[in-house]
Amino acid sequence: MTSPEPFGARLRRAMDERGPLCVGIDPHASLLADWGLSDDIAGLERFTYTVVEALADRVAVLKPQSAFFERFGSRGVAVLERAVADSRAAGALVLMDAKRGDIGSTMAAYAATYLDPASPLFSDAVTVSPYLGYGSLRPALDLARESGTGVFVLALTSNPEGAEVQHAVRADGSSVAATMLDHLRAENADAAPMGSYGAVVGATLSDSLSAAGADLAINGPLLAPGIGAQGATAADLPRVFGAAVRDVVPNVSRGVLRHGPDTAALRESAARFAAEVREAVAG
């Protein structure tokens, strides 16, 4: 049996062909209202399928935020299942933003939910939280390797509360965040053109990176929230990420989604962000 192509290789190709951009699918109540939609299943469906139709055939990555679907119960999860399948069928890589983290068989079940090809929610990658210890993520890391999928580990998040955990210093003098990045670097050793194990690092955190002693050269993707509505711009990326900037996957949500429900406007906004990032990375 032929092994599936690793996520890192598929992501690199998608970024080269479609532009280095990840667009979130975040159907929170205020955004539904901005679109003139009701905060119910009908509004959720209209919002989600409009975004997928507009962008899945042209952006590298779509990132649905699972919580905004789960709040509608089983019918919301059904919408998410269809969005994942339709996005992948149109050529976008799907990064499920679930931020799961647990131990043992429970972590294995979370991993199977998003990274097992037999699952209705099978995605190309998933976000996970390592704060029960990096080793607790092993079921997801191993299944990702087996299924050709990816894992993005929370390392240096853009929320201000994150520093109290992520900047904490361990007995060996390294920060928790730096330790997570070290683990990911080991997972990605010898991978080409890029490893499948990524980190979440906020694009607004230039000062915090040095404070945490963070080496971002992990030979894997760096999911960078914060572009657009949170204040960071594409032009900031080389300064924040340095030599690792080519591996950055900037995440834009509200900056693109606020242009809906007009399909052409959504496409134009996504294309503009992707072009700005490509130009910034190229120097």
Side-chain angles (χ1 to χ4, degrees), residues 191-256:
M194 179 168 64
S196 299
Y197 301 96
V200 179
V201 178
T204 57
L205 296 180
S206 56
D207 295 334
S208 298
L209 297 182
S210 57
D215 179 1
L216 300 180
I218 62 170
N219 190 33
L222 301 167
L223 180 68
I227 301 290
Q230 294 184 47
T233 69
D236 294 324
L237 296 175
R239 175 177 55 82
V240 176
F241 292 94
V245 70
R246 188 168 179 267
D247 296 332
V248 171
V249 187
N251 173 228
V252 179
S253 295
R254 283 172 289 174
V256 170

Side-chain angles (χ1 to χ4, degrees), residues 83-229:
V84 170
D86 288 355
S87 297
R88 299 187 76 239
L93 299 178
V94 173
L95 167 56
M96 184 63 70
D97 196 356
K99 298 183 179 72
R100 299 300 193 234
D102 215 302
I103 61 173
S105 59
T106 306
M107 190 65 225
Y110 280 137
T113 300
Y114 305 109
L115 304 179
D116 185 337
S119 170
L121 285 170
F122 177 60
S123 304
D124 296 283
V126 65
T127 57
V128 295
S129 174
Y131 297 113
L132 288 172
Y134 183 85
S136 68
L137 302 178
R138 184 50 55 191
L141 300 168
D142 289 346
L143 183 54
R145 195 178 301 276
E146 177 185 330
S147 61
T149 54
V151 171
F152 284 84
V153 177
L154 302 179
L156 282 161
T157 57
S158 56
N159 63 305
E161 303 88 351
E164 68 179 280
V165 174
Q166 296 158 18
H167 289 201
V169 177
R170 303 172 63 239
D172 65 0
S174 61
S175 70
V176 170
T179 299
M180 297 306 147
L181 293 166
D182 288 344
H183 283 304
L184 291 168
R185 189 176 301 107
E187 300 286 349
N188 290 322
D190 302 322
M194 179 168 64
S196 299
Y197 301 96
V200 179
V201 178
T204 57
L205 296 180
S206 56
D207 295 334
S208 298
L209 297 182
S210 57
D215 179 1
L216 300 180
I218 62 170
N219 190 33
L222 301 167
L223 180 68
I227 301 290

